Amino acid sequence: MSPVIGFVGTGNMGTAIIRGLTGRGSLEFCGTDLNRDKLAELKRDCGLEPLATPNDVAQRSDYIVLAVKPQHLRPVLQDMSGHLTEAKCLVSIAAGIPVARLREWSGNACPVVRVMPNTPALVGAGVSAICLDDPRLSEAQKRQVQDLFTAVGAVHVLPETLFDAFTAVVGSGPAYVFYFMEALVESAVYLGLPRTQATDMVLGLLTGSGKLAAESGEHLSVLREMVTSPAGTTIRALVHMDRQAVRAAIIDAVETSYKRSIELGK
Ligand SMILES: NC(=O)C1=CN([C@@H]2O[C@H](COP(=O)(O)OP(=O)(O)OC[C@H]3O[C@@H](n4cnc5c(N)ncnc54)[C@H](O)[C@@H]3O)[C@@H](O)[C@H]2O)C=CC1
Ligand SMILES: O=C(O)[C@@H]1CCC=N1
């Protein structure tokens, strides 16, 4: 029998995972959200069974994906703890919240997996970190959770000590990439290119460069040097970025995100 995957919270990330998983294997979905329109939409598009409360999801599911904001997680878990049994498995995608806290809030009722996905899961191109440190997890549960996230992209099994770093770089990462893309589109428009065409061009630039980096086997520095002609156009822009300490600013920004992830877990 196929396992029932239940979602508590079907906002941006919950929806990305549900939509990404739809049509990939024989899974049954159920879920709840304060936003009933969202549930109706997911019922129509993905066959998700809408349920009234997190407790209903806990009762109905084998795997319960916790996809509410970290600040809302504690009452949800405390409330549902009476409906959890040893055979079920909690899967939390909440940024910052450690396994120890998840176990405490759920009354140690069942094994817990911590996952940090990212939004490209929506199109099957996510990158997720999975923490399988809870010793109560069965081999079948470990496999099932890895399979779930492999169906929507790449999976890295990581110790929990590296989760805040992964969150800051990869969980939040799509926002940095879209921010950079927006800046490139604005510069194209500034220089006279039509906005729609500029957006298409920048999309092609990002997907093409990502594909080249993934498929060429070359180091990123070599790929950058291939573009950078002596006394050419590219070196002018790169030297300007170095003078503006853009690389250091990016490292500092990611460190700020890392510190926020740690703060959310306190
Ligand atoms: N958005 C992203 O790129 C990523 C988010 N995450 C994590 O995923 C979790 C969800 O984030 P988003 O989807 O961005 O937030 P969101 O705000 O889009 O979705 C949260 C959903 O939870 C629902 N909700 C809140 N309290 C509820 C309750 N008591 N019962 C049922 N539903 C309830 C809300 O109505 C909302 O639809 C967070 O913990 C976040 O840290 C993790 C990785 C990436
Ligand atoms: O911004 C956030 O807190 C969440 C976690 C990773 C991506 N979005």
Side-chain angles (χ1 to χ4, degrees):
M1 225 169 58
S2 49
V4 179
I5 318 292
F7 288 79
V8 178
T10 55
N12 291 312
M13 199 60 234
T15 293
I17 298 170
I18 295 163
R19 287 193 182 275
L21 285 172
T22 300
R24 291 169 195 260
S26 57
L27 296 170
E28 261 191 72
F29 300 124
C30 65
T32 191
D33 198 291
L34 302 176
N35 180 345
R36 304 293 169 184
D37 293 342
K38 206 68 205 264
L39 290 177
E41 216 178 85
L42 289 168
K43 179 181 179 189
R44 187 194 61 214
D45 297 349
C46 310
L48 175 130
E49 179 190 353
L51 295 174
T53 66
N55 290 345
D56 296 334
V57 174
Q59 273 176 303
R60 173 90 177 84
S61 313
D62 301 300
Y63 294 83
I64 301 130
V65 181
L66 302 162
V68 297
K69 293 288 188 200
Q71 298 87 335
H72 299 148
L73 193 51
R74 185 179 193 157
V76 165
L77 268 179
Q78 287 175 335
D79 205 30
M80 69 163 53
S81 61
H83 300 274
L84 297 170
T85 61
E86 282 277 337
K88 295 184 188 272
C89 179
L90 286 171
V91 181
S92 168
I93 66 163
I97 311 295
V99 169
R101 191 80 18 100
L102 297 164
R103 288 178 64 159
E104 179 196 327
W105 292 345
S106 58
N108 269 314
C110 67
V112 173
V113 181
R114 184 174 167 193
V115 181
M116 178 47 53
N118 69 1
T119 53
L122 180 58
V123 292
V127 181
S128 304
I130 299 203
C131 169
L132 300 170
D133 291 355
D134 189 333
R136 296 170 305 171
L137 284 163
S138 69
E139 289 308 313
Q141 286 171 326
K142 289 183 189 177
R143 217 174 22 251
Q144 179 64 62
V145 178
Q146 288 186 77
D147 286 353
L148 269 185
F149 288 88
T150 302
V152 293
V155 166
H156 297 263
V157 177
L158 283 186
E160 192 164 30
T161 45
L162 294 177
F163 255 63
D164 295 308
F166 182 89
T167 301
V169 178
V170 182
S172 296
Y176 314 150
V177 173
F178 300 136
Y179 182 87
F180 179 58
M181 291 170 78
E182 283 178 323
L184 285 176
V185 171
E186 288 314 299
S187 47
V189 171
Y190 181 67
L191 297 173
L193 284 157
R195 182 171 291 280
T196 312
Q197 239 178 330
T199 306
D200 270 2
M201 289 167 180
V202 169
L203 264 174
L205 167 67
L206 264 285
T207 46
S209 305
K211 193 170 158 66
L212 178 62
E215 292 178 10
S216 68
E218 293 286 2
H219 191 281
L220 293 175
S221 301
V222 172
L223 295 174
R224 180 176 51 73
E225 283 168 13
M226 275 167 61
V227 190
T228 311
S229 312
T233 59
T234 314
I235 191 68
R236 290 280 173 104
L238 292 176
V239 167
H240 184 77
M241 287 189 206
D242 280 348
R243 287 196 177 123
Q244 300 292 319
V246 172
R247 187 186 295 249
I250 292 170
I251 293 169
D252 287 352
V254 173
E255 189 189 23
T256 310
S257 170
Y258 169 75
K259 287 180 177 162
R260 178 60 182 147
S261 180
I262 293 172
E263 196 178 277
L264 283 169
K266 290 201 168 133

